[in-house]
Amino acid sequence: MKKLIIVFCLMAISLSATAQYADRDIIVKRGKLYCDGVQLTHQQSLDYFSNVAGEDLTHDYLQYTRDFKIGKQMEIWGAVAFGIGGLAEVAGLMFIFTAGDEATFRIIQGSMMAGGLVCIGGYVTSMCGMVKKRKAGRNLSNLTIGVQESGVGIALNF
């Protein structure tokens, strides 16, 4: 019973906390801008960031979207390399016990080492891409549009 009362109290606190939250007009999801649930086109996004408190932030917007795309590609190709390297490792491990002579054993051993290097390189590339993508998404979400301290408009949060 005590746990149930605590859960209800926490739910009441969270409801009052969400009532205090003012939703923004522009939302950033997966490196794209959405306004009222509709994805903005590239030109509309450029128009939004062309005059932010007298500053042109289109260069920042273009840099963040470019970094997001590069991070996404690094993440995808790193995962592909990780998978291919892992398959080479598993295949080499299966065939190393059936190697008949010394030359075949050395070839399989070399392919396992190359597969291991590709697997490690793919993992590192994928993780670096994930970090780059998250950082660009975070920077892009800092370019806010909506209610600000000084009124309604566009601001760059630090």
Side-chain angles (χ1 to χ4, degrees):
M1 185 69 176
K2 187 178 186 181
K3 290 180 184 179
L4 188 63
I5 292 172
I6 291 173
V7 168
F8 283 128
C9 288
L10 290 175
M11 287 173 50
I13 291 170
S14 67
L15 287 175
S16 65
T18 56
Q20 309 267 332
Y21 176 70
D23 198 17
R24 288 192 282 172
D25 295 330
I26 301 294
I27 298 171
V28 179
K29 288 183 187 174
R30 296 185 185 105
K32 294 181 175 44
L33 297 175
Y34 292 89
C35 181
D36 297 328
V38 178
Q39 182 181 346
L40 298 178
T41 64
H42 184 68
Q43 187 59 41
Q44 289 172 333
S45 300
L46 289 175
D47 290 341
Y48 272 115
F49 294 115
S50 64
N51 186 12
V52 177
E55 282 188 66
D56 185 15
L57 293 179
T58 55
H59 176 68
D60 293 338
Y61 168 71
L62 292 174
Q63 182 66 38
Y64 297 151
T65 55
R66 181 179 165 272
D67 287 348
F68 188 86
K69 289 176 186 176
I70 289 172
K72 188 175 180 181
Q73 292 296 319
M74 286 175 65
E75 189 177 8
I76 290 170
W77 288 109
V80 168
F82 180 77
I84 290 172
L87 284 175
E89 283 289 313
V90 170
L93 189 62
M94 287 191 317
F95 289 123
I96 202 160
F97 296 113
T98 61
D101 56 346
E102 185 72 23
T104 308
F105 180 77
R106 294 285 179 206
I107 291 171
I108 294 172
Q109 188 179 20
S111 71
M112 283 183 65
M113 282 201 267
L117 289 174
V118 169
C119 187
I120 291 170
Y123 178 76
V124 169
T125 303
S126 183
M127 291 298 116
C128 289
M130 187 180 301
V131 168
K132 188 174 188 80
K133 190 173 81 168
R134 284 184 183 169
K135 184 178 175 185
R138 198 173 322 119
N139 288 337
L140 184 60
S141 65
N142 285 338
L143 295 171
T144 60
I145 301 169
V147 178
Q148 308 298 326
E149 292 178 359
S150 58
V152 178
I154 303 173
L156 177 62
N157 292 336
F158 293 99

